[in-house]
Amino acid sequence: MSEQAQTKDRAAQAGRYDPRAIEPKWQARWAADGLYRTPDDDPRPKWYALTMLPYTSGDLHIGHWWAMAPSDTQARFMRMRGHNVLFPMGFDAFGLPAENAAIKDGAHPAEWTSRNIERMRGQLKSMGAMFDWEREVITASPDYYRWSQWFFLKLLEHDLAYRQMAPVWWCPKDQTVLANEQVVGGECERCGTPVTKRDLEQWFFRITRYADELLDFSKMQWPEQIQLMQRNWIGRREGAELRFGLDVPGAKEKEVRVFTTRPDTVWGCSFFVLAPEHPLVDQITTAEERDAVRAYVDAARRQTEIERLSTEREKTGVFTGAYVTNLFNGEKVPVWTADYVLYSYGTGAVMGVGAHDERDFAFALKHGLPILPVIERPDGLTKSFAMHGTMQEGLGDALAAARIPFEERSGSLFITIPFDRIDRYVEISRSHLKPGCWNEVVGTRWIFIFDDGVQAWDSPEAERRILARCKALEPAVRERRTVMEMLYSLAFYRDALFHDAYGMMVHSGDLTDTPGDRAIAETIRYGEGKGYGKGTVNYRLRDWLISRQRMWGAPIPVVYCKTDGIVPVPEQDLPVLLPDDAEFRPTGESPLTYHQGFLNTTCPACGEPARRETDTMDTFMCSSWYQMRYIDPHNDERPFSRELARKWLPVDQYTGGAEHAVMHLLYTRFFTKAVRDMGLLEFDEPMMRLFNQGQILGTDGQRMSKSRGNVIAPDEQVEKWGADTFRAYLMFLGPWDEGGPYDPSGISGVARWLNRAWNIATADVATTDAPDAPETRSLRRWTHHTLQRVTHDIERFHFNTMVSALMEFTNELSRRREAGATVDRAAWREAVEMFVLMLAPPVPHIAEELWEHIGKPYSVHTQSWPSYDASLAAADEVEIAVQVNGRVRERLTLPVDAPEDAAKEQALASPSVRAHVEGKEIVRVIYVPNRLVNIVVKG
Ligand code: ANZ
């Protein structure tokens, strides 16, 4: 048979593109052949590609496809690039939603979960991804959680797990403790119920020990945004811990410490605030204040931190009746308790500096506490108000002559004083002041001008003097409790009264005039020298609370014994199995408490009766190390072997959602470091590269959710169009990192594209041998240029442009075929072969089928990724100008002889062109191949 006849014959055999026939066929063959089995002893360089494992909620939704199909595409690409690629899949199977759903359906969480896993596994398989199912990991299965428990024991052994009474977040609806991370906006992340606080004995992991190391991102390539979120979450603050003298009869303590990020403001401290939970509150409160303080403390405990910290909120608080001494200036300042101070942060105590901390400012104003500015305003804003009737005639002229701007309203002058003319202003003011009146300067300097002289407002002493003097002179200010309150009553002054910038220290004893850039360090040095405190670092990060009062989790493997206390379950007794007949309805205590068979045990140390811990572990514990288990999933002697860890870990490429930034992605980093310090790993970070996909939205542009009724079920789409079309469509939808709304109309276009792709590889074309013909050169240019684009796009996760490149290539090949052109045999063969190879990562089934059709040996997925000839690909690109109404707005680089459609489309897609076209009517688009696109618009 001639080659042409053979081609025809194959086309006839191939028939129409029918994904429903070819997809199950290839999936079965791949499974039977173990095509995706990942051998450990393969000599090729390893590549560990990991996509976040799904939670077993019941159904895969379109978001799973959206996340996994591109991840699979890249994993396949890496395999063709010559790597031994590990691309495993598993199920995050413990946790609250399973219990909630089980409570609703009445089925046991275990049953419900395994039913879901069955279903989801089937759905995942329909995707045709290259998951190595032999490595599947299910976090709720005893052969997995046994090792989660083992890690718990190791953490305990290394002093990285501890038990402590702690006020914890409590969700009244789910009846469970929540981690800080699970409280969003003061509500339970899962059910939206406002959370409260409770005191319970809880297990914690000491993630804070790694706070500094977790701030180092230099060993991996993670998105800036995730780094920033983690950095903020860890919240490292350099500052100082300062001592304040406590002289309260009957109180045990003789001092109390504060954490401050602004020790340079210490001379401005005019009050002191303890968190309501602070144990000192009770000790120091005087008898007169006792009732008010108790009532306040009780009320505060019912609030959430978010509410308490809000800057919008009224700054409530009560005076304890006690005083502390600011060691820096010897001032005695009143001690208050207020809920804007959190017990869990710093030392749970704050030095109140109204002039430079916004919350302190509001608090002091409200409660009539003095405020003293001690940092110079760096912006130089300085003001004065000359009230009608307080100044002699001629003030306006004098100010004008001194070039000091002012505004006159109803006889009063509102003056803004240039920084370099403050002294001049003071002279003018003094010489115009009427007897028995005063005038003041605020902002950069703080000066009160009286008829008998000038007083700087520079100390608590001066505050008292000035206030007394003003009150004596003017009945209208008698109600004012502080100088700042008096100044604040004038709206004109308000923007000059407060600032929180760094600047030169003023009114600060020995350190007055210390420049802003040295102020903090100098104050710390000075304070350390005198023994008033020391420089410290504080973190926002808290230890990770892992106890959950739920049944559906890995039991915490410890036993409580009357004699021996907390006794770890011996390793050889693991796993501590979850009973399969336990109560799972929440009761407020862990449901396992009600299971006598589980609860009662014997102490491993003394053999006497003992109680098991009945709390289970946070599921984030289970997902913190799952990537380590995939590498050695059937090992029943260890969580994983050291040798395989050396071979496979760390993960080379991780993909998943950014919503896990401060939970899973931080926990797994901590876990990796902890496991390293146990001597089991030899590296520092779990995942070398991370890419976060965006979110796919409903057709209405909203997040898909059942309640909105905008969920698109992947199964229906796969049923209707086939997995390949659906995969390609999701990748085509938009930039992967951005996400966007699902548009049901677009999918038919993608289906048409795959049909055309099918036709190209299966149908007939007239061939000849014309290696040097210009058409041959241009065909090869197209092939290599497309290969170059697709290669770059997959490397960079630009799947949408990868699909467009393949579509353009399809059009080009179709054009040649349909024009009935005779093409060079070798160049055509090269084009079709490379085309099919390029289809293999994104659309694996059709690629396999076409590979067979063109007479190539099984499997397309074990082929090498072709390399492009850069000179062929690039040499024949041209730059073309894009004009709008004759003016050049853009220059595009296109392949020589780019088809009109492609050129116009690219021209119109350019933002700089769009800016000149948007909102106008496009009258005409003229295309001169290899030279220009001219767009004529009207309006
Ligand atoms: C005095 C001061 C003066 C402060 C000033 C700030 C500005 P970040 O940056 O968020 O870490 N603070 C300390 N412990 C607190 C607690 N338990 N609850 C609420 N606030 C607390 O904030 C550090 C600052 O927050 C600390 O520095 C302290 O106020 C306050 F011009 O001390 B600062």
Side-chain angles (χ1 to χ4, degrees), residues 48 50 88-90 135 137 626-633:
Y48 189 171
L50 184 65
M89 186 41 63
R135 293 174 180 267
V137 153
Y626 77 111
Q627 73 276 13
M628 304 175 197
R629 186 63 179 172
Y630 281 138
I631 65 164
D632 197 3

Side-chain angles (χ1 to χ4, degrees), residues 732 804 807-808 811 892 894 899-910 914 925 933:
F732 186 51
S804 359
M807 285 176 166
E808 281 167 35
N811 291 346
L892 297 175
L894 293 179
E900 179 154 356
D901 290 355
K904 283 183 184 172
E905 190 182 296
Q906 276 208 46
L908 287 167
S910 140
R914 242 189 292 153
V925 182
V933 176

Side-chain angles (χ1 to χ4, degrees), residues 872-886:
L872 266 178
D876 299 308
E877 277 181 344
V878 283
E879 194 184 88
I880 70 160
V882 183
Q883 303 179 333
V884 179
N885 288 351

Side-chain angles (χ1 to χ4, degrees), residues 665-686:
L665 288 173
L666 193 60
Y667 294 148
T668 190
R669 292 184 64 212
F670 154 68
F671 217 87
T672 301
K673 293 170 194 302
V675 175
R676 172 201 64 197
D677 292 346
M678 294 167 194
L680 301 176
L681 294 177
E682 291 158 20
F683 53 88
D684 306 311
E685 295 288 352

Side-chain angles (χ1 to χ4, degrees), residues 237 259-262 265 340-342 345 350-351 356-357:
R237 294 277 188 280
F259 170 71
T260 174
T261 45
R262 294 297 304 270
T265 66
Y340 76 96
V341 177
L342 303 178
Y345 188 71
V350 165
M351 61 174 198
H356 306 294
D357 179 90

